[in-house]
Amino acid sequence: MLTWVRRGRLDADNWTPADIPLDEEQERYQLEIVDALDGTTRRNLSLTEPLYRYSLAAQTTDFGATPTRFAVRLRQMGRYAAGLAAMATFTF
C-alpha cells in the first residue's frame, strides 16, 4: 500500500495535526511506477485519493516477476499545472 500526505498552496502552513484544507477544485495525483534499474515507467496512474494498493499481481504484470526494487514518482495535480515530483525507491 502506497500512501502520502496531500500538500497545499493556500493556508498550508498550519501546524495543527489536522489535515489542511483542499485548495484545488479536485484532489488529483499522477503516480508512476518506475523500474529502478533502467528508469522505464512501468505503470502510469491518475488517482483521486492519496493512496494506491500496488498488488502483487500488478507488480508481476509490470515487471514479469515480483520485483526486488522499484521506484515511484508522484505529482499532485493542480488546476493549472502538475506539482514537482516526489520520488522514492523501495527495495525488498
Side-chain angles (χ1 to χ4, degrees):
M1 178 73 73
L2 303 171
T3 63
W4 53 91
V5 176
R6 175 171 41 86
R7 295 178 142 193
R9 292 183 179 95
L10 303 174
D11 298 324
D13 56 354
N14 188 345
W15 288 89
T16 62
D19 198 6
I20 60 170
L22 180 62
D23 59 358
E24 295 288 346
E25 295 171 4
Q26 297 176 321
E27 188 169 6
R28 297 181 307 133
Y29 306 93
Q30 191 69 34
L31 177 68
E32 295 174 68
I33 306 294
V34 179
D35 187 325
L37 298 176
D38 66 10
T40 304
T41 298
R42 300 294 180 141
R43 186 173 290 254
N44 195 338
L45 303 152
S46 294
L47 304 169
T48 58
E49 57 186 347
L51 64 93
Y52 176 67
R53 184 179 187 283
Y54 194 31
S55 70
L56 184 58
Q59 293 175 43
T60 302
T61 298
D62 294 346
F63 291 92
T66 304
T68 58
R69 185 175 176 187
F70 67 86
V72 296
R73 185 179 303 126
L74 177 70
R75 288 180 169 86
Q76 185 170 333
M77 305 303 289
R79 69 192 116 210
Y80 302 114
L84 297 175
M87 296 186 68
T89 300
F90 299 91
T91 303
F92 309 97

